[in-house]
Structure formats: structure tokens, C-alpha cells
Amino acid sequence: MSKYNKWMLVLFILFPILLFLFGIGNSFTDISKLALSEDDISIDIRHKFYTDKTNQLSLNDVVDKLNDFDELPLNKAKVSFGEIGFWYQIDIKNVLNQSRELIVFLDNPMIDIINVHQLKEGEYKLVRSLGDSNLDNIILDIALPNFNVELDAGQQTSFLIYTTTTGAANVPISIYDSENFYRYKDAVYLLWGAFIGIVAVMSVYNLILFIGTREKLYVLYIGYIAIFLIELATVHGYGVYIMSLPLFDFFSKNIISMNYLLGYFTLMFASHYLKFNEEPERKVTRYVNYLSYSYLVLSVISIFVVEYIAAQIFFSLQILLYGLAVTMMYTRLKEGVKWANFYIFSWLPLLVGTAVGPLLLTGNLEYSFWSRHALLLGVVFEITFMAMALAHRLRTSENDRLYQASHDHLFGFANSNSLEVAVKGLTEKSNEPSFSIMIVSISKYESIVPYLPKESLKSIVYQFVSDVETELSNELLLIDIDKDSQYMKMAMIREGVFAFLVSSNDEHLLNNVMSQFAAQQPITYNSGELSLNIKCLIGASTYTSRINNTNELVNKAQQAIELAIENGNLHGIYNDHVNNNDQRKVMLASDLQTAIEAGSLQLYHQPQTSTSTGMVVGSEVLLRWSHPNYGFIPPDEFVRIAEDTGIINKLSEWVFNKSCEHLVELMKLGIDNHIVSVNMSVHDVMHNGFISYLIRTIERYQLRADMFVLELTETVSVTDTKKFTRNMLELKDIGFCLAIDDFGTGYSSLTYVSKHPFDKLKIDREFIKNLDQSDKDFTIVSATIKMAKSLGLEVVAEGVEDQKTLTLLKSLNCEWAQGYHISKPLPFEAYVEWLDEESIKNSFS
């Protein structure tokens, strides 16, 4: 979309909104003119004012002091904080030749006491008791304190109004014809309802954002607008409609406590919105935290302090709040953080409203509909602008996260994710795409890094990438990978290894270009007084039907480099007919990680039974992998690959997690006391954090450690025997049962058993399968069982393939048996069916 069309769309959307706001503004202006003024020719209003600083004068005392009252225009009386009595004398004369009903509106629902006395038969008599200390009035009189005045044609009456409060003492007074008062009331109700609705919608909106992002920012904003809703509900009186009267009374008496809470949420939201919470060492962050927590403490303390005293402390601290807020905003603007602009803009209407409120309540600003509702309207606009700010920040954060996911954090280069997107784009554009990936690797990059400061390293790498791109572009058409980057035709696979997309799969052309580039090695770069001669290795792989995904293309190009090194060259192109075994190993290594992440492996169960009762006591879980190209992969092969490539821990975590899932399913079916045996590598026991993973997993599934047997194969590969022993003891203390697997096939078996806290011993199938035919095997098994018994170990025999072997094992006091005679390993669903059949069989035996 062009900029012209974009602005036209913005204007098209904004124009009706601005018309609506203009209409609302005119309506509110008309509403503010409904009150009768002292200049109105239809009525004669006179207003006098008196301050009782002792707050001890009775009505009669005040009547005696009527001559001491100051005559002032309506709403021009100056009041102050403190427990002081304020008296207003209002004389009203109906100048019209007809009777009329007037309503006197006392617009401060937080005043504690409002007593209205009317002059009747020569003396003042109490006619109304208003104020928030008198909650027996109807809700309208609590929200909008008022009283009726009925005057005949030419009639005059006089009122003495006494007010006192511990908070803001100013009482704006308006006089309306009754029908105009109800028009005013309807307008105020509309404004209140709109405000409540906006806060409710924004709260739900931010709650959804919090659930989606788990960012504390959105909870803080909900707290911020919710406290504002409560505070304004108290200040404006609409709280009586949305909460119980006792609760409204509590908030009315503790409005300063609400102000402190509002200050806390204001600061914390600003800190999180502007991301200062992610920089705890900055001074401004520490000051924000100090003041925020001080506000929390003071919000509690202020409950026990007289309101007008607490208010003075609060207003003095407001200077610090605004100072810190301005500092945070200025800092982010100076740093060029674009999404801070919306936030700053949202403060403007709020600051205006916040300034107007106190000026009005202290009598330093003329009372009108606009001034009375300035803070509420300011909050409405602030919430609206803040919604835009939050949306912009969220969008920016998502863009930042996307950038971080697709770029290297140190150099800013596009990474393998960006390369994958570019490759996907090429394959989607054409049914027969023609391109290649070329990998350029700096030789011995890791040995160069320690000699260079970070900035010097970055400078040399940037120059190297530019030189390579220029050289390749002389003969090849390179494809853009990251169009927003200065280095748009390159992606960094890892430090020192770079990928380029070439719009050709002509192996002859690629080989010539790589050969020419290799002939120019080494390339010399200078960093200060240090001169570096850099050699690079180049490999390429072409997109074909057999090699058609990004990871595979990159792996093949890197494999081409390895083959080139073996042949004493600096470059090479992947050849699909060379080194099939290496190809299989590389592919299996890549695909195994994908299979773990995708959960496409399978876990089989082979039952273990008691030799004495024949009952199933548990099962050993066995991992199976059916590769889409190579078919069934033997566990020994892919486990060795997992160990060699460093993903054995991920593989073991997958197995244990899936074992927990299966055990939970068995328990749901009523199969209790079922023990699951899981094979573990010595690498798992030695891996930092693996034991914590086991604990977290069983807690997540609400299982116990004693429901599992961890089977470890004896090994001589343990280099840190102290750590291995310590971890084994920790597993034992947690409650896991430990078994030594394949006993008799490793080294130093007796030593291995005696030094570690095993509970079970599994005799390898090699000694079991010929037990009834080989005297040697029979002697070994018999001696092993006796040795295990002397050490307090239970014995499991695996590889039991006939009843005769099972009978022999029972005679030798071997407790548990496992093998094809009982059942072959079964997929979980088939294993559950097998258990059902065994249960039925045993019930008839």
C-alpha cells in the first residue's frame, strides 16, 4: 500500500470518529449550560459563605453570625483541608410569574456531612441530611447529593448548608430547573456507563494478552485501570451503583490509599512498558522500585491516618512520581525507542485531568461540567491512547522476537531460520526450482577469536563476508536471503560458517567458481598491529528431488567440505554416490533430532513376570524407530548416534516422559503397582540437570519415583567417578529403583556392583538363551544369582524363550523373568490388550 493510500485510509477512518467526538463535545457544552447562573433573569440567587475553624458552632450560633458571612459569587468560596465546618447561605427568589421546581445539586459525594437548613416561619429548620456518612439516603442522593426547592411565583426562600469532611472540602453548588437536572443526570449516567464499559473491555482485552504472552505488563495495566475505576467511582459517586454501600463507604473514607495504589501501578506499569524492569542495575529502575514499594506501604498506613493529612503527604510525593515517569520517558526517547511515543502521548490528557481535579476540589478552578469530569475524560482518552501504545509495543516486540529468531545476536546476520524461509520461497515459486547452497567456512575460526577484541572481530568478519559476496557475485547470481540487511545475500549458520544461495545447480559452474576462489587463499586482514591470514573452506550442494530441504542441503554442503579436507582440498561439491555410509550416518543424526522433536519415535513394552507366581509385575520400555527412508533402525545404532552427536540426553528425556504418559494411562485403566523399567545412559546420570528433569516430570504426572526402575549398563567410560557415585546416590534417595543392565558383558562387573547402590541385577540374554544346554552358562547364571542374593539384590533374567528355561530360573531363585516366551516387545496399545488377556487368563487359573 502506498503512503498516499495509507493516509487516505487513515483519514477515512478518523473523519467519522472526529465528527462523533465533535458532536459529543458540543453536547457536553450544552449540558454545562443547563445550570441556572446568578445572571439569569428568571431567578435571583445570592450566596454567602462562612468558615467555622473550630467546627463547634451550633445552628443558632451561626444564625447569630449571619452578618459575618462573606457575600461571594456562587462556587467562589475558598476552602481548605482539615476538620473545619463550612457554612453556605443561599437565598433564592423565583422571579417568574409561575411556580417552579428547582433542584440544588451539591457536587461532591465524598463530603462526610451535608446538613441543609431552610428558613421557615422565621427560623432555620433541618430539611435534608446528605453526605457519605449518611448511607440511608436513596442511591441517587448518595451519587448526586441534591435537594428540591419548590417556589411559587415571586416567592423567596433561604438555606443554610453546613458541610464538614476529613478530605477535600470543596462543594460545587449548581441550581437547576428540575427537568434540566434530570437531563444533566442522564448525561452523567451516560458518561459513567461509557467509562465503566471502556474499563471492562480493556481489562478483558489485556487479560487475553496476558494469557497469550504471560507478560506481567498486562496484569499491571489491568490493576492500573481497575484502581482508576474505583477511585473515580468514589470521587464521582457512581460507585454506589457498582458496589455495595459498605464497600463504597470504605473506599470513600480511604481514597488516599487508593491514590497510593494508583501511584504504585502507574510506576510499575511505566517501568514494564518501557522495559526498565529488564535493566535492574540502572539508577532510574532502582528509584522506581523504591518509590513503588513505598507507595504500597503508604497505601496501608494511610488507612489509619486522617484523610487530609494523608492527602498532603501524597500530593508531595506526586512530584517524585511524575519526575521518575518523565525521566523514564525522556530516556527511552533519547535512546530512539519508537513505541515510547504513544505512551508519552497518552499521558497528556491524563496530566490535564489530574491537574484539573485538585484545582477544582480546592476551589482554585471554576466549576463546570468539563472541569468536573476532566479527570474522567482524561482517563478515557488515556486508556484509548494506551490501547494503541500497547498494540504498537506488542507489534514491535513481536517484530523484535522475530528478528532475534531469524538473526544472530552478535553480528546481526540472518541465521539458518532466514535461510530456510528463503529456500521455502524458492521451492514455492517453481515446480522445478534450480538453485544451490554454498557454504563458506573460515578455517580454524575458533583459534582466531581469542586474539581479537569483540569489535575488531566483528569488523573483520563484516569485511570478510563483503569480500566473499563480491567475489562470488562476479560469476554467480546470488539470491537475497535478508532484504532488510546490508548483507542481504548471506546467512550465518554458526560463527565462522556462512551460507549463500546461488540461482544455479550447474555443478561444473559451481566447481569452477569455488576453485578460483580457493586459489586466492589466504586472504589477509589487519587489526591494529595484528595481521591475519584467513583461509576458508567452500562446499556446495544442489537442490534435487533427493536433497530438497534446507537442513539437508546445508548438511550436504558441509559434508562436501569434510570430504574436501580428507582429500587435501579447500572446496568440494556434494556427490550423492560417494560415501554412502557417511551419508546414512549424517542423515540419521539429523533425522533423529527431528524425530525426537516431532515425537515420531515409538515406545514398546516387554512384560516382566514373577517366576514364582507368573503374575506380571511390570515392563521394560524399549525404543523403536522406523525411518521413512531406511525403515527399522536398530536401537544400538541410533543410540550410538545420539551419544556421538550429544542428543542422548534429549532422547532419554523423551523416553522417560513417554513412560510417564503410559504409566498414567495404565493407572486410569485400573492397572496399579505396575513397575516400568527405563534404560538410562551413563551420559544421562552425569548430565547436569537430568535428575532435576526426572523429579519435575514425575511431579507433573503425579507419580512416585518408586514406580520406576532405572536400568544402567555397566561401563568403563565414566571419567568422574565421584560425580557418578554422588548422582547415583541422589537417585536412590529420591526413591528410584536402580538396576545394572546386561550384567556379565562389561568390565569389572563385581566392582561395579559393589561400589554403586543398585537394587536389581539383570542377567544378559547371552547367558540365558542356552541355559538348559550349556553347563558353562548354567554355572555362570547360578553363581551370579547367588552373588546377587548375598549383596541383597533382586535378579531379573532377560531372553527367556521357553518354559524349560523359566523353570530352571525359578529353581535357581531368580525372581523375575523377561523374554519372548512371556511376550515379545509390544506397542503400548497392544501391550494393554495383552495385559487384559493375561488378567482374564489368570482369573480362570
Side-chain angles (χ1 to χ4, degrees):
M1 180 183 292
S2 67
K3 287 187 176 181
Y4 174 78
N5 290 335
K6 180 180 178 181
W7 281 111
M8 287 298 293
L9 179 62
V10 170
L11 290 174
F12 180 77
I13 295 172
L14 284 180
F15 184 70
I17 295 175
L18 292 173
L19 280 181
F20 174 75
L21 292 175
F22 181 74
I24 291 290
N26 284 337
S27 298
F28 284 164
T29 301
D30 292 340
I31 291 296
S32 67
K33 297 176 181 179
L34 294 175
L36 297 169
S37 69
E38 292 167 297
D39 298 330
D40 197 300
I41 60 174
S42 69
I43 195 169
D44 185 11
I45 303 172
R46 293 189 179 184
H47 170 253
K48 294 182 179 181
F49 173 73
Y50 181 76
T51 302
D52 175 13
K53 294 183 179 180
T54 64
N55 203 17
Q56 299 294 322
L57 295 178
S58 66
L59 175 62
N60 292 332
D61 294 334
V62 171
V63 171
D64 292 337
K65 293 180 175 289
L66 287 178
N67 292 331
D68 297 332
F69 276 53
D70 294 322
E71 186 168 353
L72 296 168
L74 206 59
N75 298 322
K76 294 297 183 180
K78 296 292 183 181
V79 297
S80 57
F81 286 108
E83 297 182 46
I84 303 172
F86 299 101
W87 291 85
Y88 304 86
Q89 183 184 20
I90 301 177
D91 298 331
I92 305 174
K93 182 179 180 181
N94 178 18
V95 180
L96 297 178
N97 292 325
Q98 59 186 27
S99 61
R100 66 197 301 185
E101 182 181 355
L102 304 175
I103 293 180
V104 179
F105 175 37
L106 309 168
D107 194 5
N108 188 348
M110 293 194 300
I111 296 293
D112 294 340
I113 297 173
I114 303 175
N115 289 335
V116 181
H117 308 84
Q118 186 174 9
L119 184 63
K120 293 184 177 181
E121 299 176 355
E123 62 178 310
Y124 285 96
K125 296 180 180 179
L126 180 66
V127 293
R128 289 300 305 274
S129 290
L130 302 167
D132 64 9
S133 63
N134 187 356
L135 298 178
D136 294 330
N137 288 307
I138 63 173
I139 289 181
L140 174 61
D141 290 345
I142 298 172
L144 302 172
N146 69 91
F147 60 89
N148 291 1
V149 181
E150 294 183 1
L151 295 175
D152 294 330
Q155 183 182 357
Q156 177 175 332
T157 188
S158 179
F159 295 92
L160 273 177
I161 303 172
Y162 165 72
T163 70
T164 186
T165 188
T166 57
N170 189 47
V171 183
I173 300 173
S174 302
I175 302 173
Y176 295 88
D177 283 311
S178 59
E179 62 272 18
N180 285 338
F181 175 74
Y182 289 108
R183 284 180 62 194
Y184 176 89
K185 183 202 74 171
D186 291 342
V188 170
Y189 278 12
L190 178 63
L191 183 59
W192 290 348
F195 179 66
I196 295 170
I198 290 171
V199 172
V201 169
M202 290 305 301
S203 296
V204 173
Y205 170 68
N206 281 275
L207 181 60
I208 293 171
L209 289 177
F210 170 71
I211 293 172
T213 64
R214 292 295 172 185
E215 276 198 69
K216 186 180 177 182
L217 167 76
Y218 300 106
V219 176
L220 290 170
Y221 191 62
I222 292 171
Y224 172 71
I225 60 178
I227 295 297
F228 241 135
L229 176 68
I230 293 171
E231 179 168 327
L232 292 175
T234 306
V235 172
H236 287 274
Y238 64 82
V240 294
Y241 294 99
I242 61 174
M243 62 182 79
S244 65
L245 289 178
L247 189 59
F248 175 75
D249 184 51
F250 173 81
F251 287 131
S252 181
K253 287 180 169 56
N254 296 286
I255 192 67
I256 302 303
S257 181
M258 294 298 102
N259 283 334
Y260 278 121
L261 279 179
L262 185 62
Y264 166 79
F265 280 107
T266 300
L267 282 173
M268 293 306 292
F269 174 76
S271 176
H272 281 72
Y273 179 86
L274 297 172
K275 296 187 177 182
F276 280 96
N277 63 302
E278 298 175 5
E279 303 170 8
E281 298 305 317
R282 295 187 76 151
K283 283 185 179 180
V284 65
T285 307
R286 294 201 298 269
Y287 293 152
V288 165
N289 291 334
Y290 294 152
L291 186 59
S292 298
Y293 297 134
S294 298
Y295 268 38
L296 276 182
V297 173
L298 288 170
S299 70
V300 177
I301 294 175
S302 63
I303 295 175
F304 307 100
V305 179
V306 178
E307 184 178 335
Y308 67 86
I309 296 176
Q312 294 176 54
I313 299 172
F314 171 77
F315 287 132
S316 63
L317 286 175
Q318 283 294 85
I319 299 173
L320 292 177
L321 185 149
Y322 289 129
L324 283 174
V326 169
T327 300
M328 285 191 285
M329 289 185 283
Y330 174 76
T331 302
R332 286 304 188 225
L333 276 180
K334 191 175 178 182
E335 293 171 351
V337 178
K338 294 181 180 179
W339 39 261
N341 297 337
F342 282 100
Y343 182 65
I344 294 168
F345 193 60
S346 72
W347 270 70
L348 299 179
L350 180 63
L351 288 173
V352 173
T354 304
V356 168
L359 291 174
L360 180 66
L361 290 175
T362 55
N364 293 305
L365 185 68
E366 185 174 349
Y367 172 79
S368 68
F369 182 89
W370 286 107
S371 60
R372 176 67 174 110
H373 297 93
L375 179 57
L376 188 146
L377 291 169
V379 174
V380 169
F381 282 105
E382 191 261 354
I383 289 175
T384 304
F385 293 139
M386 187 51 65
M388 298 167 60
L390 285 169
H392 184 59
R393 181 185 182 277
L394 180 63
R395 184 170 63 253
T396 304
S397 297
E398 287 301 315
N399 290 338
D400 289 343
R401 276 193 281 269
L402 180 61
Y403 182 85
Q404 291 167 7
S406 58
H407 290 76
D408 173 73
H409 72 282
L410 177 61
F411 295 98
F413 293 141
N415 62 18
S416 55
N417 292 329
S418 296
L419 178 64
E420 187 171 352
V421 171
V423 169
K424 185 177 180 182
L426 292 174
T427 57
E428 289 177 348
K429 285 180 181 178
S430 172
N431 293 327
E432 297 181 1
S434 174
F435 67 92
S436 305
I437 282 184
M438 189 173 287
I439 299 293
V440 179
S441 175
I442 297 177
S443 179
K444 299 180 181 179
Y445 175 81
E446 292 78 8
S447 63
I448 297 173
V449 172
Y451 295 96
L452 293 172
K454 184 170 71 173
E455 292 305 317
S456 298
L457 174 66
K458 290 169 68 175
S459 177
I460 287 177
V461 169
Y462 291 146
Q463 186 60 50
F464 172 79
V465 168
S466 296
D467 292 344
V468 172
E469 181 179 320
T470 300
E471 183 66 28
L472 296 179
S473 297
N474 289 335
E475 301 291 339
L476 301 170
L477 179 60
L478 301 182
I479 300 169
D480 290 346
I481 298 174
D482 181 11
K483 293 182 179 180
D484 296 326
S485 171
Q486 179 182 349
Y487 308 94
M488 63 178 65
K489 301 184 184 301
M490 182 276 302
M492 190 168 81
I493 305 302
R494 61 181 183 275
E495 283 197 39
V497 180
F498 311 96
F500 296 85
L501 278 178
V502 181
S503 63
S504 172
N505 58 3
D506 184 336
E507 293 187 3
H508 181 70
L509 172 63
L510 295 176
N511 193 59
N512 284 340
V513 172
M514 290 190 295
S515 178
Q516 292 174 19
F517 186 61
Q520 299 178 24
Q521 309 299 315
I523 307 173
T524 302
Y525 294 99
N526 295 313
S527 176
E529 297 180 357
L530 181 64
S531 179
L532 296 174
N533 293 322
I534 293 180
K535 281 188 177 182
C536 57
L537 306 166
I538 316 169
S541 61
T542 59
Y543 182 93
T544 67
S545 59
R546 294 184 302 277
I547 311 173
N548 55 18
N549 69 68
T550 308
N551 288 336
E552 195 174 355
L553 283 167
V554 171
N555 288 338
K556 298 309 181 187
Q558 290 180 316
Q559 189 176 351
I561 291 175
E562 293 174 5
L563 291 172
I565 294 172
E566 290 178 7
N567 296 325
N569 297 321
L570 294 177
H571 65 91
I573 295 179
Y574 175 78
N575 187 326
D576 200 30
H577 302 292
V578 177
N579 208 335
N580 288 329
N581 289 333
D582 285 346
Q583 291 177 40
R584 173 185 169 93
K585 184 177 180 181
V586 171
M587 179 173 284
L588 288 181
S590 174
D591 292 348
L592 178 58
Q593 185 157 355
T594 303
I596 294 171
E597 294 171 353
S600 57
L601 301 170
Q602 283 187 296
L603 206 60
Y604 280 48
H605 288 253
Q606 187 171 34
Q608 296 173 340
T609 62
S610 168
T611 57
S612 59
T613 66
M615 301 295 290
V616 179
V617 293
S619 61
E620 179 184 3
V621 291
L622 301 167
L623 193 57
R624 297 290 183 263
W625 183 24
S626 179
H627 191 275
N629 296 330
Y630 296 123
F632 175 77
I633 308 298
D636 289 347
E637 181 179 0
F638 68 75
V639 168
R640 190 179 303 111
I641 289 173
E643 290 179 344
D644 292 342
T645 57
I647 61 171
I648 184 64
N649 189 245
K650 286 185 178 180
L651 185 65
S652 298
E653 287 181 358
W654 186 92
V655 170
F656 189 76
N657 184 75
K658 184 61 72 172
S659 300
C660 290
E661 289 182 10
H662 287 179
L663 189 53
V664 169
E665 288 298 317
L666 291 175
M667 293 171 68
K668 288 179 180 178
L669 295 171
I671 302 173
D672 298 321
N673 301 320
H674 190 93
I675 304 299
V676 175
S677 297
V678 184
N679 290 285
M680 291 291 164
S681 163
V682 66
H683 297 282
D684 299 322
V685 177
M686 297 293 287
H687 188 272
N688 293 329
F690 185 71
I691 296 177
S692 299
Y693 171 80
L694 297 182
I695 296 171
R696 289 196 308 272
T697 305
I698 60 175
E699 287 178 348
R700 184 169 74 250
Y701 287 101
Q702 298 182 344
L703 300 172
R704 302 188 312 275
D706 60 7
M707 295 176 172
F708 298 90
V709 177
L710 305 183
E711 298 185 3
L712 284 92
T713 304
E714 51 184 323
T715 179
V716 294
S717 63
V718 177
T719 55
D720 189 348
T721 55
K722 288 184 179 179
K723 181 178 180 180
F724 181 75
T725 303
R726 183 172 64 250
N727 290 354
M728 290 283 285
L729 288 171
E730 186 176 351
L731 287 169
K732 176 81 171 177
D733 291 341
I734 293 167
F736 288 105
C737 179
L738 303 177
I740 179 171
D741 195 14
D742 298 336
F743 182 81
T745 60
Y747 300 90
S748 308
S749 295
L750 293 176
T751 303
Y752 192 66
V753 171
S754 63
K755 285 188 175 182
H756 300 107
F758 290 106
D759 302 288
K760 290 186 178 184
L761 181 150
K762 292 191 74 175
I763 302 176
D764 187 75
R765 59 173 46 85
E766 290 297 321
F767 300 104
I768 300 298
K769 64 182 181 181
N770 297 317
L771 185 63
D772 62 329
Q773 299 173 7
S774 170
D775 292 339
K776 183 179 179 181
D777 287 347
F778 183 87
T779 301
I780 292 173
V781 170
S782 177
T784 300
I785 293 173
K786 288 179 181 178
M787 180 271 296
K789 296 297 181 184
S790 67
L791 294 175
L793 303 178
E794 296 178 349
V795 180
V796 182
E798 55 183 353
V800 179
E801 298 186 357
D802 53 54
Q803 181 60 43
K804 191 173 181 180
T805 302
L806 184 61
T807 303
L808 280 173
L809 289 169
K810 181 179 179 180
S811 69
L812 293 173
N813 293 322
C814 175
E815 291 95 338
W816 319 113
Q818 172 183 342
Y820 272 55
H821 176 65
I822 301 163
S823 172
K824 66 179 181 179
L826 298 168
F828 181 65
E829 293 77 10
Y831 179 61
V832 172
E833 293 178 4
W834 183 89
L835 288 174
D836 288 340
E837 294 172 0
E838 284 296 302
S839 177
I840 294 172
K841 205 183 297 181
N842 291 330
S843 64
F844 287 102
S845 61

